[in-house]
Amino acid sequence: MSTNFKISIAILMALTIVSGCGNKSDGLSTISPTPTSVGSATTTPTVPPSVGATPTTSPKTSPTATATATATATVKPLSGPATSPAASPTPTKNGAVQVIAKPESITVLVNKMNSLPSSYEPTDLVYPNIAFTFSEKIDKRKMRQVAATAIEKLFAGAAKDGVPLAGVSAYRSYATQKALFDSYVKKDGEEKAKTYSAVPGTSEHETGLAIDVTGSNGKCAAADCFGGTKEAIWLEKHAAEYGFIIRYPQGKAAITGYQYEPWHLRYVGADIAKEIQSKNVTMEEYYHTVPVSK
């Protein structure tokens, strides 16, 4: 092989090596992020740092995921959470009702589809300082501490407006609710009883956050004639100011599963109560759940 030919090969090989080094990438530094369109928002994926590099900022949620969540949220008619901190995937014996996972939650959704555990009993039950239609100091006078404080303020506000109120029934244990429901079944049959009374475990009274109220004279206590009274009108207008809602409003039986009960108050906190009132919705609608039709 001639000397000139050897030199030519050597030069060609050197040029090849130099060219290859010039195009070599660490797999990260030369990547150009490509914008990704999500709905109406456009995001740019964050390029990860080189191996061994120390991040200068804490990890953040993916821009794509954030934009997707935002786009989805704008579709919802309410600003409330999509689901209640209520039910777990574990069904009860009948295979239809779900057992509530966080029964202690102030905003827990209790209805015919979401049952409290039979063993659940609130740990912070107290006697609110309000008038009742009876004098005995028994369980149905009790409420959870936060609800008891709120109902005291509600009663005081009503009295200030010339609408004195009285409590009818607040907390009930699982056993008490069972005995009550069974008595209604014997009287009216199960189908009829379910329109106005809850199967044990599915009563809001078992949460310690609900109370039935009436006028101070005790008339129309937990009865249809309470609707339209000055007390019922005051409660419908002002209960949310104190964190309570009319849990079973008029015209919503196909959603809540219960007839209109203007006397049944449920504590959920002022913010949620005011939104539910302003939107004229039920807790089921607020949490975007399936209506309870039976």
Side-chain angles (χ1 to χ4, degrees), residues 138-195:
I138 52 182
D139 277 357
K140 68 177 183 176
R141 293 180 73 108
K142 294 179 180 179
M143 297 186 78
R144 289 185 59 184
Q145 181 67 69
V146 65
T149 299
I151 201 66
E152 290 174 354
K153 294 178 180 178
L154 183 149
F155 270 46
K160 185 177 180 180
D161 288 345
V163 186
L165 300 170
V168 177
S169 181
Y171 173 70
R172 296 179 203 147
S173 66
Y174 181 94
T176 298
Q177 183 62 32
K178 184 178 186 307
L180 184 64
F181 181 75
D182 289 347
S183 70
Y184 290 142
V185 171
K186 290 181 180 179
K187 177 185 175 183
D188 296 326
E190 184 173 354
E191 185 175 353
K192 178 65 176 179
K194 285 183 177 180
T195 67

Side-chain angles (χ1 to χ4, degrees), residues 30-294:
T30 60
I31 295 177
S32 297
T34 302
T36 302
S37 176
V38 181
S40 60
T42 301
T43 60
T44 302
T46 302
V47 177
S50 301
V51 177
T54 302
T56 57
T57 58
S58 59
K60 295 183 178 180
T61 303
S62 166
T64 301
T66 302
T68 302
T70 301
T72 301
T74 58
V75 177
K76 297 184 182 299
L78 299 173
S79 60
T83 57
S84 163
S88 72
T90 306
T92 53
K93 293 180 180 179
N94 63 14
V97 181
Q98 292 189 327
V99 178
I100 291 170
K102 297 181 179 180
E104 72 285 353
S105 172
I106 296 298
T107 58
V108 65
L109 176 64
V110 178
N111 60 20
K112 295 182 178 183
M113 305 301 293
N114 296 297
S115 174
L116 294 161
S118 60
S119 60
Y120 176 67
E121 182 178 340
T123 59
D124 57 347
L125 291 170
V126 297
Y127 292 103
N129 185 23
I130 60 173
F132 274 83
T133 56
F134 54 91
S135 59
E136 297 84 2
K137 201 169 185 179
I138 52 182
D139 277 357
K140 68 177 183 176
R141 293 180 73 108
K142 294 179 180 179
M143 297 186 78
R144 289 185 59 184
Q145 181 67 69
V146 65
T149 299
I151 201 66
E152 290 174 354
K153 294 178 180 178
L154 183 149
F155 270 46
K160 185 177 180 180
D161 288 345
V163 186
L165 300 170
V168 177
S169 181
Y171 173 70
R172 296 179 203 147
S173 66
Y174 181 94
T176 298
Q177 183 62 32
K178 184 178 186 307
L180 184 64
F181 181 75
D182 289 347
S183 70
Y184 290 142
V185 171
K186 290 181 180 179
K187 177 185 175 183
D188 296 326
E190 184 173 354
E191 185 175 353
K192 178 65 176 179
K194 285 183 177 180
T195 67
Y196 62 84
S197 182
V199 172
T202 66
S203 171
E204 286 206 324
H205 287 279
E206 295 172 61
T207 67
L209 300 170
I211 183 172
D212 295 336
V213 302
T214 190
S216 59
N217 58 14
K219 293 182 180 180
C220 296
D224 292 343
C225 60
F226 183 70
T229 63
K230 66 178 183 178
E231 292 86 0
I233 293 172
W234 187 92
L235 288 170
E236 186 172 353
K237 183 177 180 180
H238 298 287
E241 298 169 16
Y242 302 91
F244 290 90
I245 60 171
I246 307 297
R247 180 64 178 90
Y248 308 117
Q250 195 165 22
K252 300 283 189 175
I255 296 173
T256 65
Y258 293 106
Q259 62 185 33
Y260 176 42
E261 292 189 3
W263 60 82
H264 182 97
L265 304 181
R266 161 64 195 275
Y267 182 79
V268 292
D271 290 342
I272 293 178
K274 289 176 181 177
E275 183 173 5
I276 286 176
Q277 181 194 52
S278 67
K279 299 292 185 180
N280 190 31
V281 296
T282 63
M283 282 191 76
E284 284 78 12
E285 291 170 298
Y286 180 75
Y287 285 124
H288 314 292
T289 63
V290 177
V292 180
S293 59
K294 295 183 179 180

